[in-house]
Structures are given as structure tokens and as C-alpha cells.
């Protein structure tokens, strides 16, 4: 099995944030989370080492809580990317497989690319493979220097490059695959006599060449995948790129998306064909949407939402942690959270599931069985169950279970109005 080393010790000054850079999120998932999951989804790797430094505790706390097969390793102080990788040496003493090295701030890398990268490394019989990319504007990247026969010679950092090297448009994408047992010796021999005074990971290419260990470069097809995040502008751009990718996938699968420019769909949302998503919807987290549903315009699905076929979620409806069976409508102005809703249900305009008790801080469940009709502007105070085919009259505040086929009518009592009148009279 492959192991990964994910570099995430850098400061991320340009984010101007109290949150460590790699814990910033896109669709509620952290940047480093995307990288770990891409590695895990290749099915080729079994363990991830995340190198942490700045705000190490916060990052470590998150990683260990979230990913079973990820371990954090502290790098302090941060003396460069080569130094960062060397922090993992004690954990990989006897390891004899491949290690892939990635950055924690490039969330758009895909499992398909990583798989084909590792396969290419294996097929070439290479000891060290570097991912490269061709950029019209290669500024700031390390340049890939090739020999006259096209083989990989070395990587030269922008700050160390001469004019001829700077003109090279093939750059180091920052992802590496190495046969650990052979290449790990390089880390004890890196020097920091360069423009930045750092121990460069990139120097392992030259080292491997000197040892006559075969090195290779793999050229990335889609440059978006190594888009690195250093600022809030980058974060917004990456979110847009990822969204475009997801929207395109759904369009290709037969989902109608009226305006791809204003619809946001998280990568973990499944949607079946012939569902229509109207403009200005925000769909985040993990969701499953069936066939022939209609979502939006202006709907907000916040995650853990399951919609069966023919469900309508209309304008200004927010849904969270809720399962809705087929042929149910919630067409206008509702909040449905922590709920189980049956089929053939009508949720009237303005219906709210009051799922949160701010005094006890407890969230409770609302159960609405098949064929229930909930009248407009009703508040369903959880925990509560409305049994099959019951009717809730408009403006009801439902605080106890409603038996099936009954009519619930608990409108705001007139007393309140009388009290108001008394107050005005004083
Ligand atoms: C690095 C590469 C460069 C490549 C580019 C791709 C080196 C020397 N250069 O440059 O060839 O084109 O990435 O993006 O590797 N980090 C640590 N500890 C450290 C230093 C960095 O964990 O001591 C982490 C950073 O948090 C970041 C990653 O390593 O996630 C890359 O570091 P950064 O300084 O951004 O590298 P670049 O200068 O961009
Ligand atoms: Ca640097």
C-alpha cells in the first residue's frame, strides 16, 4: 500500500485569518480534507501523514477527529518543503512501498489523476516521479529542467533560476511519487544553500539522478487540479472551479440546471436524471436527490438531505438533515430540519420545524407521515409526530403528537390580542 505525506505546516499569511489555511472550507469541507479524501479514494493508499506547524494543535485536533487513517507530524520550525517531508522519516523507517507527497492547500486534485500518476510511476519503473504542468505564465513555480534527450534533470526554483530557466513553461506541480526505501536517504543530504535558505524537497530529483535512480515526470492534463490556495480570492476561485466541475457532471448525467452560473452543488450531492434545479440554489454537504424533483429557485439544502422522486422544494425553503419521501411538496418559505417526512405530504407555505430548543440546546426530530397536510404558517415544535393523513390547520403551533386522520387546530389564542388591547388602553 501507498502512504501519503501532505504538507500543511506553512503559515498562510495572505488568508488574513485566525483559522489555519488548510482548515478553510469549500462546501463545508476543509481544504486538507479534500486532499486526504482524494488520496483515500484512489484505493491505493492506506495511511496519510499530515505535516503540521502553524496552529498545529487546531489542525491536528481536526484531522484526528475526522480521518481515522491520518496522523499529524509536527514540523517546528519550518525550514522548507524537504525538511517538512523529513519529519515523517521516524514513522516510515521500515516502510518499503511508495510514498506520494502532496500539498494540503490544493483541494482540486482528483483521485483519477492521483491513480493515473501512481500507475505511470509504476509502469515507467521509476524511483521518483514528479508531476509537472505547462503554464503560459509559470511565475513563482519551480521550473522543470530537462536534458537534451527529454529526460528529467532537476527542478529549479523561481528565485534560484537564471533567465533561460525562467523561460521554461513546464513547472513542478508539487506532487511526487517515490519509492521510499530508495529515495528516503536523500532527506539526510539536502542542503539549504539556495536563495531562500530552505531545505528544498525539489532537490531530491538531482540527488536521485546522481544515484542513477530512474526519475520521471508525469504531465498533468488539467491545470486546475493543482490550483493552490493562498488568499480568500483563491478560495473563492477554487470554490467556483469545483462547482463548475460538479454542475457539469450533473448536466452530463441528465439533470436540468437552468442557470449553471448561479447554482451551487457540493461534490457529495447525488442527483438523478430529470430533476430540475432552478436558479440561485445552494446545495452543500452530503445529499441524495431522486428523479423528477424540482428544486428552487432560491432553495437551500444544507446537507444530510434525502429526497425521493418527484419532490418539490420551492423558493426560500431550507432543508437540513431531513428525509422526504416521493411526491411531497414544500413549495414556499419553509424550514425543515431533523425531520422524516412521508410521501404525498403537502407542507404549506411558511411551515417551520422548530427543531432546536435554545434553553436545553437539544435538537429534536419531527416525523410527518404519509399524506399529511400541513397548513400555512404552522410551527411544528419537535419532538413531535404527525401521523398519517392528519391535517394541521393553518397557523397552528403543534406541541404534541397528532393522531392519523385528525384535524389539528391550535391557532394563536385570541387572549394575546386582548392583552395587547389592554396594554394600549393603559
Ligand atoms: C513549491 C515547490 C515548487 C513548486 C510549488 C508548487 C519547493 C522548494 N518548491 O514551491 O517547485 O512549483 O511548490 O506549488 O518545494 N510547507 C511546509 N513546511 C515548510 C515549507 C512549506 O509544510 O517548511 C508546505 C506549505 O504549507 C505548502 C507547501 O509546503 O503547503 C508548499 O510550500 P510553499 O512554500 O508554498 O512552496 P512553493 O514556494 O510554492
Ligand atoms: Ca516557499
Amino acid at each position: 500500500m501507498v502512504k501519503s505525506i501532505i504538507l500543511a505546516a506553512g503559515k498562510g499569511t495572505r488568508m488574513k485569518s485566525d483559522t489555519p489555511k488548510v482548515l478553510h472550507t469549500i462546501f463545508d469541507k476543509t481544504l486538507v480534507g479534500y486532499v486526504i479524501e482524494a488520496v483515500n479514494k484512489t484505493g491505493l493508499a492506506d495511511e496519510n501523514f499530515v505535516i503540521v506547524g502553524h496552529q498545529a494543535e487546531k489542525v491536528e485536533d481536526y484531522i484526528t477527529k475526522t480521518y481515522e487513517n491520518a496522523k499529524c507530524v509536527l514540523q517546528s520550525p519550518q525550514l522548507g518543503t524537504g525538511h517538512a517531508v523529513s519529519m515523517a522519516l521516524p514513522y516510515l523507517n521500515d516502510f518499503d512501498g511508495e510514498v506520494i507527497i502532496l500539498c494540503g492547500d490544493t483541494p482540486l486534485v482528483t483521485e483519477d489523476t492521483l491513480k493515473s500518476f501512481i500507475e505511470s510511476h509504476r509502469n515507467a519503473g521509476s524511483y521518483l516521479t514528479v508531476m509537472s504542468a505547462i503554464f503560459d505564465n509559470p511565475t513563482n513555480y519551480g521550473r522543470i529542467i530537462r536534458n537534451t534527450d527529454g529526460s528529467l534533470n532537476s527542478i529549479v526554483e523561481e528565485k534560484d533560476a537564471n533567465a533561460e530557466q525562467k523561460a521554461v513553461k513546464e513547472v513542478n506541480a508539487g506532487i511526487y511519487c517515490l519509492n521510499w526505501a530508495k529515495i528516503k536517504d536523500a532527506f539526510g543530504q539536502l542542503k539549504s544553500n539556495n536563495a531562500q535558505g530552505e531545505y528544498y524537497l525539489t532537490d531530491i530529483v538531482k540527488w536521485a539522478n546522481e544515484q542513477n535512480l530512474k526519475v520521471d515526470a508525469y504531465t498533468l492534463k488539467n491545470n486546475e487540479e493543482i490550483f493552490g490556495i493562498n488568499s480568500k480570492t483563491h478560495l473563492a476561485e477554487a470554490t467556483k472551479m469545483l462547482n463548475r466541475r460538479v454542475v457539469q457532471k450533473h448536466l452530463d448525467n441528465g439533470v436540468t440546471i437552468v442557470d449553471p452560473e448561479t447554482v451551487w452543488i457540493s461534490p457529495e450531492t447525488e442527483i438523478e436524471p430529470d430533476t430540475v434545479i432552478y436558479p440561485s440554489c445552494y446545495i452543500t454537504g452530503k445529499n441524495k436527490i431522486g428523479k423528477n424533483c424540482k428544486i428552487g429557485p432560491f432553495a437551500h439544502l444544507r446537507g444530510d438531505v434525502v429526497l425521493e422522486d418527484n419532490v418539490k422544494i420551492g423558493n426560500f425553503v431550507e432543508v437540513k438533515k431531513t428525509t422526504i419521501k416521493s411526491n411531497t411538496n414544500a413549495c414556499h418559505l419553509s424550514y425543515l430540519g431533523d425531520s422524516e417526512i412521508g410521501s404525498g405530504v403537502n407542507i404549506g407555505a411558511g411551515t417551520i420545524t422548530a427543531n432546536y430548543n435554545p434553553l436545553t440546546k437539544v435538537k429534536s426530530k419531527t416525523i410527518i407521515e404519509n399524506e399529511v397536510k400541513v397548513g400555512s404558517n404552522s410551527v411544528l415544535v419537535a419532538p413531535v409526530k404527525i401521523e398519517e393523513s392528519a391535517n394541521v390547520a393553518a397557523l397552528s403551533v403543534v406541541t404534541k403528537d397528532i393522531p392519523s386522520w385528525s384535524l389539528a387546530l391550535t391557532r394563536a389564542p385570541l387572549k394575546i390580542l386582548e392583552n395587547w388591547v389592554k396594554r394600549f388602553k393603559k
Side-chain angles (χ1 to χ4, degrees):
M1 280 307 235
V2 179
K3 314 262 181 210
S4 90
I5 298 176
I6 299 170
L7 308 185
K11 194 164 182 187
T13 318
R14 282 191 279 155
M15 296 303 280
K16 300 202 178 139
S17 173
D18 293 336
T19 301
K21 176 162 86 171
V22 294
L23 296 192
H24 281 76
T25 57
I26 297 179
F27 290 117
D28 300 322
K29 186 186 291 182
T30 62
L31 304 183
V32 67
Y34 279 98
V35 179
I36 293 173
E37 289 181 28
V39 172
N40 286 344
K41 280 193 242 160
T42 62
L44 299 170
D46 65 347
E47 205 179 6
N48 301 284
F49 295 91
V50 182
I51 311 298
V52 295
H54 281 278
Q55 300 203 62
E57 271 168 40
K58 270 195 199 170
V59 181
E60 178 159 14
D61 185 54
Y62 161 80
I63 300 253
T64 43
K65 270 190 201 143
T66 317
Y67 296 102
E68 260 177 18
N69 70 343
K71 187 192 229 84
C72 287
V73 182
L74 184 66
Q75 183 202 18
S76 177
Q78 290 88 41
L79 304 178
T81 48
H83 178 251
V85 172
S86 73
M87 297 296 109
L89 281 167
Y91 300 90
L92 291 166
N93 250 332
D94 307 320
F95 181 62
D96 192 18
E98 293 124 333
V99 167
I100 56 169
I101 303 171
L102 312 94
C103 287
D105 59 3
T106 53
L108 300 183
V109 67
T110 64
E111 71 254 36
D112 289 348
T113 293
L114 293 179
K115 245 196 253 173
S116 114
F117 176 59
I118 294 166
E119 271 162 26
S120 141
H121 170 85
R122 288 176 178 170
N123 293 340
S126 164
Y127 285 90
L128 166 62
T129 305
V130 176
M131 194 180 288
S132 76
I134 316 284
F135 277 96
D136 284 338
N137 176 9
T139 310
N140 289 331
Y141 284 95
R143 307 297 203 279
I144 297 284
I145 308 301
R146 291 184 183 265
N147 300 313
T148 39
D149 65 357
S151 60
L152 183 58
N153 174 287
S154 55
I155 299 171
V156 177
E157 292 305 292
E158 165 104 9
K159 289 188 176 124
D160 300 290
N162 60 35
E164 192 191 340
Q165 291 165 332
K166 275 188 190 153
V168 173
K169 294 191 167 179
E170 185 178 16
V171 304
N172 170 22
I175 300 179
Y176 315 77
C177 183
L178 26 111
N179 289 6
W180 185 252
K182 278 278 197 272
I183 303 291
K184 70 176 181 194
D185 293 340
F187 294 100
Q189 297 175 35
L190 296 178
K191 298 201 174 61
S192 59
N193 54 346
N194 51 53
Q196 301 186 82
E198 289 178 4
Y199 295 93
Y200 288 165
L201 171 56
T202 44
D203 285 348
I204 64 175
V205 175
K206 214 165 168 211
W207 180 89
N209 271 324
E210 283 161 8
Q211 311 297 311
N212 286 315
L213 298 171
K214 187 173 161 57
V215 297
D216 196 26
Y218 165 100
T219 310
L220 181 65
K221 287 179 197 78
N222 177 2
N223 288 349
E224 264 187 20
E225 291 198 32
I226 55 146
F227 187 78
I229 289 166
N230 294 306
S231 66
K232 295 283 167 70
T233 303
H234 291 157
L235 185 64
E237 284 168 358
T239 308
K240 206 155 226 174
M241 288 177 195
L242 183 59
N243 188 55
R244 232 179 269 136
R245 204 190 265 174
V246 173
V247 163
Q248 190 59 53
K249 177 187 82 182
H250 291 302
L251 289 170
D252 292 344
N253 287 344
V255 177
T256 302
I257 298 175
V258 175
D259 179 14
E261 293 297 311
T262 61
V263 163
W264 298 84
I265 307 175
S266 65
E268 288 179 302
T269 297
E270 294 170 37
I271 311 177
E272 288 190 49
D274 284 331
T275 279
V276 184
I277 316 269
Y278 291 96
S280 296
C281 291
Y282 189 74
I283 302 176
T284 185
K286 244 185 207 163
N287 309 286
K288 226 176 146 154
I289 301 174
K291 266 179 189 279
N292 292 313
C293 292
K294 293 194 177 354
I295 315 284
F298 301 101
H300 186 188
L301 308 192
R302 281 173 46 204
D304 299 312
V305 171
V306 178
L307 307 182
E308 288 188 356
D309 300 346
N310 298 306
V311 169
K312 264 193 213 162
I313 299 296
N315 31 215
F316 306 107
V317 175
E318 174 182 344
V319 191
K320 183 214 83 173
K321 243 191 194 166
T322 287
T323 300
I324 304 182
K325 297 234 163 85
S326 59
N327 302 307
T328 284
N329 297 338
C331 292
H332 337 264
L333 304 158
S334 281
Y335 171 62
L336 304 171
D338 300 294
S339 304
E340 271 173 39
I341 303 177
S343 72
V345 170
N346 190 66
I347 303 286
T351 297
I352 303 291
T353 56
N355 60 331
Y356 180 62
N357 182 334
L359 301 175
T360 60
K361 299 203 158 96
V362 171
K363 281 182 190 153
S364 306
K365 231 173 161 171
T366 300
I367 297 174
I368 302 174
E369 294 187 345
N370 298 344
E371 303 296 332
V372 163
K373 312 295 171 218
V374 181
S376 297
N377 269 330
S378 295
V379 180
L380 313 178
V381 182
V384 75
K385 183 177 184 181
I386 303 171
E387 291 181 1
E388 187 156 352
S389 300
N391 257 294
V392 174
L395 259 184
S396 297
V397 179
V398 179
T399 54
K400 53 184 175 199
D401 295 355
I402 313 285
S404 49
W405 291 104
S406 57
L407 171 68
L409 201 156
T410 64
R411 280 177 198 165
L414 277 171
K415 259 186 240 157
I416 291 175
L417 292 177
E418 288 162 8
N419 287 342
W420 269 97
V421 174
K422 274 183 206 153
R423 267 175 68 176
F424 283 120
K425 277 189 176 161
K426 264 189 209 160

